[in-house]
Amino acid sequence: MPDLDLKVAAIDKLAPQIKRFAFVATDGGSLPPFEAGAHINIFTGNGLTRSYSLAGDPADSSRYVTAVLREPKGGGSTWMHDEVKVGDMLKASGPINNFPLDPSAGRHHLIAGGIGITPMLAMGHALSRGEVPFKLDYCTKSVEETAFLDEVKEIFGDAVSFHHDGGDPKKGIDLKATLAERPDNTHLYLCGPAGLLRAAREAARHWPDKVVHYELFSSALSDHERAEVRARANEPFEIELAQSGLTLTVPADKTILEVLNDNGIAVIKVCEEGYCGTCQVSLLGGKADHRDEVLDDDEKAANTLIQVCISRALPGEKLILDL
């Protein structure tokens, strides 16, 4: 899908550090459709690319809605908060969905923390038109810091439970109790801060992997786990680009993504740490050393996809990429 030209139609302050942005097509027409859980990549004016989940109703093609948490060290979020004004024109990708609702589920359980409510709103819109039961647990520090409060109440009604912890997770949702049992064919959806993601995934460890879905805004690995990934030895290896037949060498001190970019092959990147899924490429041959947080164990075993920002080839392997 070609990149989109978007006009900033509205900006609202939802919480002390959260703003809502509404975008429309610059020509006044309809925008490409999206499904609940999708995001767009916005190409910021300070040279970054950042992913923002779509919060609006997937049935509404007249605008895209997202929310952005201002993070002091976040170059994209500070630019969005400080520089973007109503009427500005922005360049963005079309909708990408790495966090879809599973149509086979007999029940949907959504858990959102803070800004992680954004994709859950789109899910709520979609689910409210169906017949499959669903519920939302929404975790924030306080009522004042609860983004989309009125919209959440309107969309989810009695199906939402709010958890305000005052900044102390121990006083918030009891994940162990909440996820102790899995009702028949329930699928779990998680989005929010890394701490919440780690705790929820641990609490749902006894649930089948295929029914636990999550979207990361930052790495959910512990410091120890990240250190283990960084400690894995790097060796040089070759990649073959199937569409052009070009063979390139990836040295030990570079990533596949860096080598591709160095050779004029553009791959969209956002996190460059293996958690956002933006740089995912189809893998046609060779065995990869999957170091990302995007693919589940079955997908890594299938070895048909690779996150080129962080994953590498296993020793002695040559990777064939669908590029």
Side-chain angles (χ1 to χ4, degrees):
M1 180 183 296
D3 291 339
L4 306 175
D5 293 310
L6 302 177
K7 179 180 179 179
V8 182
I11 302 175
D12 303 294
K13 191 171 184 179
L14 300 179
Q17 298 297 322
I18 299 176
K19 285 185 176 181
R20 171 174 49 197
F21 295 82
F23 307 104
V24 296
T26 55
D27 62 4
S30 296
L31 292 166
F34 72 95
E35 294 184 351
H39 69 270
I40 57 173
N41 294 320
I42 292 181
F43 308 111
T44 70
N46 56 353
L48 301 175
T49 303
R50 290 294 182 264
S51 300
Y52 296 112
S53 297
L54 297 175
D57 187 344
D60 182 3
S61 62
S62 68
R63 65 176 188 162
Y64 291 156
V65 177
T66 191
V68 180
L69 170 67
R70 191 185 196 283
E71 301 181 79
K73 297 182 180 180
S77 68
T78 55
W79 183 82
M80 291 288 292
H81 271 249
D82 299 344
E83 303 297 332
V84 176
K85 305 292 187 294
V86 173
D88 284 355
M89 306 295 179
L90 302 182
K91 183 78 73 173
S93 73
I96 302 164
N97 200 350
N98 298 323
F99 189 45
L101 290 167
D102 192 313
S104 70
R107 181 180 178 86
H108 301 277
H109 185 175
L110 286 54
I111 299 180
I115 195 65
I117 190 62
T118 311
M120 304 302 195
L121 282 177
M123 290 182 176
H125 279 294
L127 292 171
S128 65
R129 288 190 287 269
E131 298 180 356
V132 179
F134 62 95
K135 68 175 182 177
L136 166 69
D137 284 297
Y138 184 12
C139 310
T140 64
K141 289 183 180 179
S142 65
V143 173
E144 293 74 23
E145 296 178 83
T146 302
F148 293 109
L149 179 61
D150 292 337
E151 289 93 332
V152 169
K153 291 179 178 178
E154 180 181 352
I155 294 168
F156 288 91
D158 294 338
V160 60
S161 296
F162 293 96
H163 308 268
H164 307 302
D165 61 19
D168 181 359
K170 295 178 182 179
K171 298 179 180 179
I173 183 173
D174 186 341
L175 290 167
K176 288 185 178 180
T178 300
L179 301 175
E181 296 184 6
R182 179 199 171 210
D184 288 346
N185 200 21
T186 297
H187 280 239
L188 179 65
Y189 304 83
L190 310 169
C191 192
L196 174 68
L197 268 289
R198 284 196 297 270
R201 289 166 66 186
E202 178 62 30
R205 184 177 291 274
H206 56 292
W207 291 43
D209 286 343
K210 284 295 186 181
V211 307
V212 180
H213 315 273
Y214 53 89
E215 184 166 52
L216 301 175
F217 289 105
S218 61
S219 173
L221 295 178
S222 66
D223 291 341
H224 176 70
E225 289 170 327
R226 277 197 296 272
E228 285 187 333
V229 171
R230 295 191 184 104
R232 286 157 80 168
N234 289 348
E235 296 182 4
F237 61 94
E238 289 188 339
I239 57 172
E240 179 183 330
L241 310 186
Q243 296 177 25
S244 66
L246 181 64
T247 296
L248 301 170
T249 298
V250 180
D253 61 347
K254 284 199 170 187
T255 65
I256 299 174
L257 178 63
E258 289 172 330
V259 169
L260 291 173
N261 288 340
D262 288 346
N263 285 272
I265 301 156
V267 176
I268 296 177
K269 59 184 184 294
V270 176
C271 75
E272 297 185 67
E273 294 183 20
Y275 62 77
C276 75
T278 303
C279 68
Q280 183 169 282
V281 173
S282 293
L283 181 61
L284 304 180
K287 295 181 180 179
D289 177 7
H290 295 287
R291 304 182 180 186
D292 63 274
E293 300 175 60
V294 178
L295 303 178
D296 62 29
D297 291 343
D298 289 343
E299 290 170 324
K300 289 178 179 179
N303 200 55
T304 59
L305 298 168
I306 185 171
Q307 315 304 314
V308 295
C309 71
I310 193 168
S311 295
R312 305 181 67 81
L314 287 172
E317 292 288 327
K318 175 182 179 179
L319 301 183
I320 303 175
L321 308 180
D322 189 14
L323 291 172

